[in-house]
Amino acid sequence: MSHLFSPFKTGGLTLKNRLVMSPMCQYSAVDGVANDWHLVHCGSRAVGGVGALLMEATAVSPEGRISPDDLGLWNDAQIEPLRRITDFVAAQDCVPGVQLAHAGRKASTTSEWRGGGGTLSHCAGGWTPVAPSAIPFDEDSPMPDALDRDGIKKVVADFRAAARRADLAGFKILEIHAAHGYLLHQFLSPLSNHRTDGYGGSLEHRMRLLVEVVEAVREVWPEENPLWVRISATDWVPGGWDEAQSIALSKVLKKHGVDLMDVSSGAMVPHAKMPIAPGYQVPFAEKIRAEAQIATGAVGLITNAAQAEEILKKGQADLIFMGRELLRDPYFALHAGTQTHVHVPWPVQYERARPKA
Ligand code: FNR
């Protein structure tokens, strides 16, 4: 029996298999609006047989963009072009999802392939980022403004409004980005959150903004549609966010209607030493799944069908999130079916090309 090609129920939805395209910024939008590139990027992976896909970190406000080229859902004009994509993806029996994000102190950069990911200066169209505390990401990053109460309220309202637009755009899975050193992770981690009010200090206070965002999103996001949260399970730095706090957070988020934790790690501080190797983040997904009793997704250097199958078979995670391998091979799922002798549905248009078993 194939675990990779078995269906998975999340919220009120059933995915046809366990393979999810991990969100990946394309830095190809203008004014946050999706275009043909996003259609083909997502459409190819949907044609290629993944059970679900998550569109890239999509900003809930202009100041929450990593770069000027990010996708956004902060205004209604951004809805229709996304609807075209979700309609196509859903027609391939792939569930369309979106990752809602706010970059916090890591905002206002040039996108990787337009300017190398460095700070975007004010005169080049950049802006002053916001953060829990006035602590820059590194010595080259701009000093962020610490959010006041009204600023925090706006972040929560922006996530709520973007979630409503995501629903109108036809997305069925919504993932909140609370990983990789972006705003919600910045509130979680003691390394970036030095606040002394109700949003800093104790674990409960550091988790508060994320809990408020989850509550606000749940108010407008259809009950039957799954809500996922991506976290960095550890900052890989002593005294930072860690596995024990991730387990505690997952237990709290489960009570607030989160269906799955998508477990990544790192990117909070530039100097962290990460033991990067095949499947290196999988043990975090396994531990959170066992201890918080919540479904998890494993991600990070999972590149072949046998490896994915093993993770699922051992009960380390419920879903496999795949990034770069799907960029190399949009038809990974179709090929994996052939390799593991599972009769995976091919697009009818391509059926004549299916390798003979
Ligand atoms: C990413 N990643 C990422 N993660 C995320 O949560 N939101 C995002 O928008 C992006 N953007 C992004 C762009 C590109 C080009 C890459 C390669 C990666 C991280 C990605 O989702 C995944 O977690 C990592 O790439 C690790 O998985 P793989 O690539 O080893 O399967």
Side-chain angles (χ1 to χ4, degrees), residues 138-181:
D138 63 19
E139 59 273 19
D140 299 324
S141 303
M143 180 62 74
D145 285 340
L147 283 164
D148 60 14
R149 284 295 174 116
D150 285 345
I152 289 178
K153 274 192 199 148
K154 178 181 178 309
V155 169
V156 175
D158 287 343
F159 269 95
R160 183 195 281 111
R164 189 188 58 78
R165 293 190 190 99
D167 179 36
L168 294 174
F171 290 107
K172 299 297 177 202
I173 299 168
L174 194 147
E175 177 170 279
I176 295 170
H177 198 350
H180 301 168

Side-chain angles (χ1 to χ4, degrees), residues 173-192:
I173 299 168
L174 194 147
E175 177 170 279
I176 295 170
H177 198 350
H180 301 168
Y182 295 119
L183 184 70
L184 297 174
H185 183 188
Q186 288 159 29
F187 270 84
L188 294 175
S189 175
L191 302 179
S192 45

